[in-house]
Amino acid sequence: EVQLVESGGGLVQPGESLRLSCAASGFTFSTYWMSWVRQAPGKGLEWVANIKQAGVDKFHVDSVKGRFTISRDNAKNSLFLQMNSLRDEDTAVYYCVRGGRNGTFDYWGQGTLVTVSS
Amino acid sequence: EIVLTQSPDTLSLSPGERVTLSCRASQSVSSSYLTWYQQKPGLAPRLLIYGASSRATGIPDRFSGSGSGTDFTLTISRLEPEDFAVYYCQQYDTSSQYTFGQGTKLEIK
């Protein structure tokens, strides 16, 4: 059974940093693209970043470029999101997501809440 | 960036009815990369339809997708009580960017 379990969310002040982690199991992690998708309270879904299998090719949405960095450790079946210079508008539930066929997100974690507030 | 606009924002219907949700793109989207998700309150989204018209594993055949170019639809042939949720379309483009529509909320009348 595919499982994605996020951790690392919490309450931080604007300008601070946070590192999210995602522990993957139930599939061969190193053979899949992985992504982070977020959802602000009461709002829709926004793709944040993704990373190819080897961890070299990475893509980020414009609103987080230069502040967030996605990475992975295939030996530990783990995905990360380093978030620096956090802003109020980064407040959201952050989902760890597996990249499926045809540019889909086929498995989702339960999400971890990041709240940026002074 | 390709913008996806879903309509309507909210639909009020009764179980047993047929419903069609719309997703319109600001520029042409490859049908191979148009996806639909269902999200219930407090839960993560669930993959419904990929490649514009293919059902994901375990999705009932009352759900169907169609469309091409800039206009795509999700149809639920006969609404079940568990189908009342928010539905999102999503696209993936050749610059490795993903965008979602704003969602359509399907509520019980």
Side-chain angles (χ1 to χ4, degrees):
Chain A
E1 178 194 5
V2 172
Q3 285 200 313
L4 300 167
V5 180
E6 303 93 337
S7 60
L11 173 62
V12 295
Q13 295 191 341
E16 293 187 337
S17 298
L18 210 55
R19 188 188 195 216
L20 304 184
S21 300
C22 170
S25 61
F27 64 103
T28 307
F29 180 75
S30 61
T31 64
Y32 286 86
W33 286 52
M34 295 296 297
S35 295
W36 289 98
V37 174
R38 68 183 178 183
Q39 186 169 36
K43 302 297 184 182
L45 301 166
E46 180 183 35
W47 166 74
V48 175
N50 67 351
I51 186 167
K52 288 190 176 182
Q53 291 89 333
V56 175
D57 295 306
K58 311 173 184 183
F59 306 89
H60 299 78
V61 71
D62 286 348
S63 59
V64 309
K65 278 180 183 175
R67 301 189 300 123
F68 291 12
T69 303
I70 191 172
S71 63
R72 65 192 295 162
D73 183 339
N74 287 341
K76 296 183 178 179
N77 292 341
S78 295
L79 179 71
F80 306 100
L81 185 67
Q82 178 65 43
M83 304 186 295
N84 298 330
S85 303
L86 281 160
R87 304 169 180 169
D88 290 352
E89 56 265 32
D90 296 319
T91 293
V93 173
Y94 285 73
Y95 294 102
C96 170
V97 189
R98 191 180 84 167
R101 68 173 86 181
N102 297 68
T104 63
F105 301 120
D106 62 356
Y107 285 93
W108 299 63
Q110 84 288 350
T112 187
L113 176 62
V114 172
T115 303
V116 184
S117 175
S118 54
Chain B
E1 174 190 323
I2 297 176
V3 176
L4 299 179
T5 302
Q6 294 184 238
S7 60
D9 287 335
T10 305
L11 262 178
S12 297
L13 293 168
S14 301
E17 290 194 84
R18 178 186 178 90
V19 62
T20 298
L21 310 182
S22 172
C23 175
R24 179 161 289 175
S26 59
Q27 54 187 283
S28 185
V29 171
S30 169
S31 297
S32 297
Y33 298 124
L34 194 288
T35 303
W36 291 91
Y37 301 88
Q38 176 194 67
Q39 187 178 31
K40 296 181 180 179
L43 297 179
R46 175 174 72 146
L47 174 64
L48 286 180
I49 300 285
Y50 66 92
S53 61
S54 298
R55 278 187 298 278
T57 303
I59 302 302
D61 61 8
R62 64 179 181 274
F63 290 90
S64 62
S66 64
S68 63
T70 60
D71 290 293
F72 298 88
T73 59
L74 173 70
T75 299
I76 310 173
S77 60
R78 186 178 171 83
L79 282 167
E80 297 288 342
E82 62 267 28
D83 298 337
F84 291 91
V86 179
Y87 292 83
Y88 294 95
C89 58
Q90 171 249 315
Q91 69 84 32
Y92 170 69
D93 63 39
T94 54
S95 62
S96 298
Q97 303 284 310
Y98 303 80
T99 52
F100 289 90
Q102 84 279 11
T104 291
K105 182 179 182 180
L106 202 50
E107 61 181 27
I108 298 178
K109 191 172 185 179

